[in-house]
Amino acid sequence: MPAPKPSTLGPLLPDRFRSPRGQKRVYLPNFTLTLLRTPFAPPNYATFITPLHLNKLDLKDYLYNLYGVEVLSVRSYVQQARVRQDKPGARLPKAQRWYRPRALKKMTIEMPATSPFIYPKAPSDFTPWDKEMQERAQDAREQEQKAMGPMGPRLPKQDGKTLREQAEELLRGRKAWRPGWMDWDLGGKPKGEVGAGVGL
């Protein structure tokens, strides 16, 4: 019986040295990736906020199969949240009841230097998004929350004149005193107001 011939190895292909990709097919991803603005990082690095259950291979598969981004390496770390009293959303936080919110996981990928990614510049004009109205609405909500809080009755009034300002105007003669009932008619409506269905 002839001796078996030794097996010869063929030429090594470049793909053998590439990192393996997962075989899990995800058609409808049930997670959200948030791309962070990192102006201090090189252009071939990008940082994402990812779910806690997402691993490095999943992120590489997601970016390659969906966006065609070649990822050389991935670095991840979990940032623990600060301990706070009671759960978020509680009206009256209870003392000595500590709660730690969910941790935050960040992943930083390294891309080839030949295909850098430069984050677009922040817009200087926010008129199309009506930022001023949103800021005014946010300020109004914060003031309303403070007014409804336990210290609300002690806060100074933001709208209307205070009694001190009205008294100063009367003492300095800037405004003449007039009884309030003179501005109302017998029907309980301010003078000059037209009722519903009454034409001018």
Side-chain angles (χ1 to χ4, degrees):
M1 184 174 182
K5 296 181 180 181
S7 60
T8 57
L9 296 176
L12 296 177
L13 300 177
D15 292 342
R16 302 248 180 121
F17 294 101
R18 299 179 66 178
S19 58
R21 295 194 179 93
Q23 301 297 327
K24 181 173 62 176
R25 297 183 180 182
V26 181
Y27 297 98
L28 294 175
N30 57 352
F31 54 85
T32 303
L33 298 181
T34 305
L35 177 62
L36 299 179
R37 183 187 293 272
T38 52
F40 52 85
N44 60 328
Y45 283 83
T47 304
F48 298 88
I49 296 179
T50 64
L52 293 174
H53 62 82
L54 199 74
N55 55 34
K56 298 181 180 181
L57 292 178
D58 292 339
L59 181 62
K60 294 177 68 174
D61 289 347
Y62 180 84
L63 295 177
Y64 180 79
N65 294 319
L66 196 62
Y67 298 103
V69 176
E70 188 73 25
V71 179
L72 301 180
S73 63
V74 182
R75 280 178 272 181
S76 65
Y77 70 96
V78 178
Q79 179 180 351
Q80 296 293 339
R82 292 185 177 181
V83 178
R84 51 172 297 172
Q85 289 190 8
D86 212 343
K87 294 185 178 181
R91 292 187 177 181
L92 297 175
K94 298 181 180 179
Q96 303 301 327
R97 179 174 291 185
W98 303 103
Y99 172 79
R100 185 186 291 275
R102 185 184 293 272
L104 195 66
K105 187 174 185 179
K106 296 182 180 180
M107 287 190 178
T108 302
I109 65 170
E110 180 185 0
M111 297 172 288
T114 56
S115 58
F117 172 76
I118 300 176
Y119 206 98
K121 295 182 179 180
S124 57
D125 184 16
F126 296 93
T127 305
W129 295 278
D130 207 355
K131 183 180 179 181
E132 295 182 1
M133 188 188 71
Q134 295 180 7
E135 291 179 350
R136 291 197 299 267
Q138 180 67 20
D139 294 341
R141 285 194 294 267
E142 292 178 357
Q143 293 178 4
E144 184 178 0
Q145 290 178 359
K146 292 181 180 179
M148 296 297 291
M151 300 297 294
R154 301 184 181 181
L155 296 176
K157 295 183 179 180
Q158 300 293 336
D159 53 346
K161 297 181 180 179
T162 60
L163 293 177
R164 182 184 296 274
E165 294 176 353
Q166 295 179 6
E168 289 180 356
E169 290 181 353
L170 293 175
L171 292 175
R172 296 182 180 180
R174 297 178 182 176
K175 187 176 182 181
W177 181 79
R178 178 183 175 88
W181 62 268
M182 298 181 64
D183 297 333
W184 296 78
D185 58 7
L186 298 178
K189 295 181 179 180
K191 290 184 179 181
E193 181 179 343
V194 182
V198 180
L200 295 175

